[in-house]
Amino acid sequence: MPGTIVVEFFDSKVLRGNPLGDPHIRRIPVYLPPSYGRGDKRYPVIYLLAGFTGSGEMMQNRLPWTETFAERCDRLIAAKKMAEAIVVMPDCFTRYGGSQYLNSSATGRYEDHTAKELVAYIDREYRTIAGPRTRAVMGKSSGGYGAMILGMRHPETFGVVCCTSGDMYFLYCYLVDFPKAQDTYKKHGGCAGFIRHWGQRPKKGEMSLFPALNTLAMASCYSPNPKSKLGFDLPIDESTGELREDVWRRWLEWDPVHVIGRYARNLKKLSLLFLDCGTRDEFNLHHGMRIFSRKAKALGIRHVVEEFDDNHSSIQYRYDRSLELASRAFRKSRRAR
Amino acid sequence: MPGTIVVEFFDSKVLRGNPLGDPHIRRIPVYLPPSYGRGDKRYPVIYLLAGFTGSGEMMQNRLPWTETFAERCDRLIAAKKMAEAIVVMPDCFTRYGGSQYLNSSATGRYEDHTAKELVAYIDREYRTIAGPRTRAVMGKSSGGYGAMILGMRHPETFGVVCCTSGDMYFLYCYLVDFPKAQDTYKKHGGCAGFIRHWGQRPKKGEMSLFPALNTLAMASCYSPNPKSKLGFDLPIDESTGELREDVWRRWLEWDPVHVIGRYARNLKKLSLLFLDCGTRDEFNLHHGMRIFSRKAKALGIRHVVEEFDDNHSSIQYRYDRSLELASRAFRKSRRAR
Amino acid sequence: MPGTIVVEFFDSKVLRGNPLGDPHIRRIPVYLPPSYGRGDKRYPVIYLLAGFTGSGEMMQNRLPWTETFAERCDRLIAAKKMAEAIVVMPDCFTRYGGSQYLNSSATGRYEDHTAKELVAYIDREYRTIAGPRTRAVMGKSSGGYGAMILGMRHPETFGVVCCTSGDMYFLYCYLVDFPKAQDTYKKHGGCAGFIRHWGQRPKKGEMSLFPALNTLAMASCYSPNPKSKLGFDLPIDESTGELREDVWRRWLEWDPVHVIGRYARNLKKLSLLFLDCGTRDEFNLHHGMRIFSRKAKALGIRHVVEEFDDNHSSIQYRYDRSLELASRAFRKSRRAR
Amino acid sequence: MPGTIVVEFFDSKVLRGNPLGDPHIRRIPVYLPPSYGRGDKRYPVIYLLAGFTGSGEMMQNRLPWTETFAERCDRLIAAKKMAEAIVVMPDCFTRYGGSQYLNSSATGRYEDHTAKELVAYIDREYRTIAGPRTRAVMGKSSGGYGAMILGMRHPETFGVVCCTSGDMYFLYCYLVDFPKAQDTYKKHGGCAGFIRHWGQRPKKGEMSLFPALNTLAMASCYSPNPKSKLGFDLPIDESTGELREDVWRRWLEWDPVHVIGRYARNLKKLSLLFLDCGTRDEFNLHHGMRIFSRKAKALGIRHVVEEFDDNHSSIQYRYDRSLELASRAFRKSRRAR
């Protein structure tokens, strides 16, 4: 018996009137495990966060030779590797590609939307076992970042955190893009010109534009500025490309590796903190993970780390591991009660 | 008013018992235009063929910053650029990535499935205007190839053909992959070893494996051999990589550029033959298109050719042009009657 | 005691008035072994042929962390791995990058220059042991090709042949470049326009132009045509890129793999035929070597084949192996006398 | 009448006993202008510094389609674009690839060698017009860096400075390599293991190893540490890759963009400060140049900046411009006297 996907057309009060004019009605797929319809059992909940340029809905895309996310859960549940759980797949996409699941005056209050509004709704509408020990947040890439940052900031909400190839150590994962971003902005007469150009391109997938897009998107999340023309401060001088140290410091305030000390108490409350990353990650996120892990150890934060022999792309198969470990954490906590 | 997507779970008699053990029940999305539900009008039909590793279902995937295929049709119909039409999106995927919409003893009878079984079913179950002048076939990449080859071979079925970046001039689009394919096969102890390895890989999207995969997939379509171990003949010697001239000649029998003369009478029956291709196509398909066009001219085959400044990837926006030209062809033919 | 390099300023009668206006006075470095100056001993001779875009003089270039060619010989001779031998490094560069050591009405009589004029001069002016068993020809890339083709055609002159990563199986090493070459020619209004552009560029090393350059250079060697505007026939139609089968057949007449049968008797006369190639050769020359070897075996041609784990670039270190094997061949033949 | 190249076998007292065991006898080519031999005129002197992995001797390498450095000078002098001048091409290569023309306890006193020992020797042995206004230093890449840093620190010696694509803004030109360097070190059990491996490789030119090599080479120049095992401190933690902020700060002390303020008085003494860089520089040096220029303007430092449409490789043709501008500066200063 397979589970089912319900798509919520969620009308977010929090996102209404967001500054980028992005939709406040979001399609949010919810996976209900096989037994959900046959009784009144309650279930742990997993919030699965999409990466940059992704959304919960895109996670349902059919890819060749690959099971869908629901099929993945069905298989893992049948094999007793995954607990029967509800999986919620939020949509925090913005017109720049993603919100990093943060509140920002430049994009909208995606942190509030995810960690508060949506959690409350799901707990109200579905038969969940509410509480941090049975509520996980996970994802890969920017979704892994979202899991980490939400876990750091809301341990009372999310007690189980799995971060796969998550953005961290911004010096290596973002800064390397800055000179290339500036080259692209310059070609379009500045970042504003690039945004206009981007909006009109029939084709968005050009890898050569990624640094320019990613840099401004992250700036919209990490260094919003309501008084600026774009709504955010770029971390670089638009005409020379020079790093703006003051803006960069504001970015670092959102770097897990940089702020781990400040959130150590919160992180210690988690029943699971799991990180994994490929050792050939093109965004150098394996370095970030190792640095995070070393700092976590020094701070006495329990966590599990795994490296795998792969790069950053097409690593959905790693969800198996997160789902398995989260399920064990759910079980342990139930026994503990 | 938007159109709707109906997903047919089509139980194909033709594909039942296919040699690769691929499913005979296929999910086939059918787009019904906005007015379909409000009356008993009949509509032209477009068969939109997916490229290699794709399927009709995957064409419904949500991509960032990009309308879905249904949204695209809705917009074009609202703007009067596209005729209200039914769009059928077949699934001719195989475990090797695709069937090229051909009959093959190695994969199954996908040509019969598409051009006969499915067309008959659609004309029976939907309010179509049957007949070649109101039945189009189109697609890009291997879908463009499929459109071309089905148009060449079944002009009485498909009278309107649009081929975007379609496989042709095999010498440039396939042969260049052969030495790389052989390197990969060798690494796995031969093609059979590679197929086994491929089946077990958690991750299939590695570009470095594409030549190996594409070469065997095309061999399964162009040079099937029921007596061989794999079910098909590779066009190369597995141990040295040398071209097998006899197998290669069998491939060329399926190269539009090679067999255009033989099908000239058929191609002249088409009410539209449209080809377009990017001038930076990584598979050199713009060369193929130019050679095809020159030969078509020499043979007196009417056709429309367009080049655009792009490469082979993420060119769905070109459907706009195919849908527009096909719609004009439908209209003309109605006036002609 | 190190050997010495003498640079011959060789005034070639054969190259005088060559059609490209390339110099007929060539700088030809000659390595004399350590003992040369101390007696009247005679020595075997090695003709070391440079690759495409190279020359004997460029082989003397100092590269970081790398011994010069003379230092290489000194070391090998001191270690008794190489016989004391004279090494002659011809200059068969043309304004298109190289002559493939062939006679061509488009470039000049480089085969006559190398195999006849230069050999006669060296035997006259230096204390050589004349005769095929003590006269080797070797090189890598186009120099490997030159060694092979001169060995095939002049076994009475060169009895010892070492071919490292030599051009062969033109289908894989040249044809793959043709569509890219056509793209470049088209951008410059045809091949003639590209040649003009090339002549004026301050910078010649752009890899993206290599297919265009290599294709016309090889055409100047393999398909000269005194009646044509360029002096040679391109193997492709300049406007579509289509292969010109008739020209291509003329190229194949110079492909070692294609003509090995015709030269089998000659190849059997060689006292050493050595081929080696990297298994990751970007020009697919390892495939060519394997095909050559299989055909040679079938024809009963004795030869030695070695594969090494590398690609096509910076493989000068492989000279050690050729010099060693050639030296053994010299020794054996002396004992045989 | 062409100029001549004299190669000095220079026995450096300064480099004797250098810590890496690199040679203290260096081959230093000196170009003497055409009229040098015919009279007793005195000439301005240009010190032309090689880039990373290069040396003065390698600058004499013959490359296809390209004039040698001496031929370049001959042509420019004949065309009256360049003054008759002596050009000295030092060799500051180390076993790690280069010294950045600095004194370092890890490599040797290359700054003293170049700016003092060699200058004194040249002025003694050749008919130079001694003095900063007729003594230029120039180069590209690390040679451009050398020109800049020597000009900053020795304006009384070098009054004319031309810096082509010179290393600056280390954040963009070096730091981006650090994670990749760490990956490589890790593969070899640390940096020391990599150095051993590097020493034994028959082939050094692998681009994939460049970040590892460059990072340690720069560390040997910028952050020497006689107490450390390697003789220098890496700017990264070898096991995680994390930036070592303290070491990084020592690097920045050598970044022209970082220390320009400190050297402003010196820079104002120069009779020419010329910078040029390609706008597609792979090492982001055009960003560095723009930042430098903006700071120089703010500090009131006269300078000339040129951008050109190219990347970092094969840009020797830009010497023409440096030689022309330096020559004008020589002339002006003579008139001024």
Side-chain angles (χ1 to χ4, degrees), chain D residues 100 102 145 167 170 174 218-224 250-251 254:
Chain D
Q100 299 295 93
L102 299 179
Y145 173 80
D167 301 16
F170 292 1
Y174 297 142
M218 294 306 118
S220 76
C221 304
Y222 300 140
S223 49
R250 286 159 63 199
W251 281 46
W254 294 104

Side-chain angles (χ1 to χ4, degrees), chain B residues 132-183:
Chain B
R133 306 185 76 87
T134 49
R135 195 183 291 114
V137 63
M138 62 174 64
K140 67 185 175 65
S141 199
S142 284
Y145 173 80
M148 175 63 81
I149 203 78
L150 293 182
M152 276 179 155
R153 291 165 59 85
H154 304 280
E156 73 294 341
T157 303
F158 301 109
V160 174
V161 170
C162 303
C163 167
T164 298
S165 307
D167 301 14
M168 54 183 77
Y169 206 53
F170 291 2
L171 190 71
Y172 285 172
C173 72
Y174 296 142
L175 186 138
V176 298
D177 277 341
F178 291 175
K180 289 181 180 63
Q182 196 261 348
D183 286 343

Side-chain angles (χ1 to χ4, degrees), chain D residues 45-297:
Chain D
V45 193
I46 295 166
Y47 290 80
L48 179 65
L49 308 183
F52 186 62
T53 78
S55 69
E57 195 187 6
M58 292 184 221
M59 287 175 135
Q60 313 311 312
N61 283 348
R62 167 71 59 182
L63 297 174
W65 297 290
T66 308
E67 57 198 353
T68 60
F69 184 75
E71 290 165 356
R72 181 182 303 278
C73 293
D74 291 347
R75 171 177 55 77
L76 290 170
I77 289 170
K80 312 262 181 227
K81 288 196 172 159
M82 174 180 164
E84 285 212 301
I86 296 164
V87 187
V88 180
M89 290 165 271
D91 172 7
C92 293
F93 189 76
T94 77
R95 57 179 287 222
Y96 298 147
S99 63
Q100 299 295 93
Y101 305 92
L102 299 179
N103 292 340
S104 158
S105 67
T107 61
R109 293 193 290 126
Y110 288 90
E111 181 177 2
D112 291 349
H113 163 65
T114 307
K116 295 182 181 166
E117 184 184 35
L118 190 58
V119 167
Y121 174 84
I122 294 293
D123 281 342
R124 202 167 60 236
E125 298 292 324
Y126 292 86
R127 297 199 309 276
T128 65
I129 310 172
R133 305 185 77 88
T134 47
R135 195 183 291 115
V137 64
M138 60 175 64
K140 66 185 177 64
S141 199
S142 284
Y145 173 80
M148 175 63 82
I149 204 78
L150 293 183
M152 277 179 154
R153 293 165 61 85
H154 305 280
E156 71 294 341
T157 304
F158 301 110
V160 175
V161 170
C162 303
C163 166
T164 298
S165 307
D167 301 16
M168 53 183 78
Y169 207 53
F170 292 1
L171 191 71
Y172 286 172
C173 72
Y174 297 142
L175 186 138
V176 298
D177 278 342
F178 291 175
K180 287 179 182 65
Q182 196 260 347
D183 286 343
T184 301
Y185 299 154
K186 197 177 173 73
K187 208 172 292 172
H188 297 285
C191 182
F194 170 72
I195 291 173
R196 270 192 306 278
H197 165 79
W198 174 259
Q200 293 156 5
R201 287 179 68 83
K203 171 171 168 175
K204 314 280 190 186
E206 215 84 79
M207 272 315 292
S208 64
L209 299 178
F210 181 83
L213 179 69
N214 196 54
T215 298
L216 78 89
M218 294 306 118
S220 76
C221 304
Y222 300 140
S223 49
N225 178 358
K227 290 179 197 148
S228 70
K229 222 174 50 184
L230 294 166
F232 55 85
D233 293 322
L234 278 178
I236 52 172
D237 180 284
E238 281 190 63
S239 65
T240 62
E242 188 175 9
L243 189 73
R244 293 171 61 183
E245 301 271 2
D246 55 331
V247 179
W248 180 242
R249 268 192 299 274
R250 286 159 63 199
W251 281 46
L252 292 181
E253 295 300 299
W254 294 104
D255 183 347
V257 154
H258 199 77
V259 297
I260 181 172
R262 191 181 311 161
Y263 289 111
R265 269 185 63 193
N266 282 356
L267 288 167
K268 288 179 187 180
K269 292 181 193 159
L270 301 179
S271 50
L272 173 70
L273 175 56
F274 172 59
L275 298 95
D276 59 343
C277 191
T279 54
R280 295 177 277 122
D281 192 284
E282 296 89 340
F283 301 98
N284 306 312
L285 297 171
H286 50 313
H287 300 101
M289 183 175 78
R290 288 172 192 156
I291 300 168
F292 183 95
S293 177
R294 172 180 290 190
K295 291 194 171 185
K297 244 175 251 168

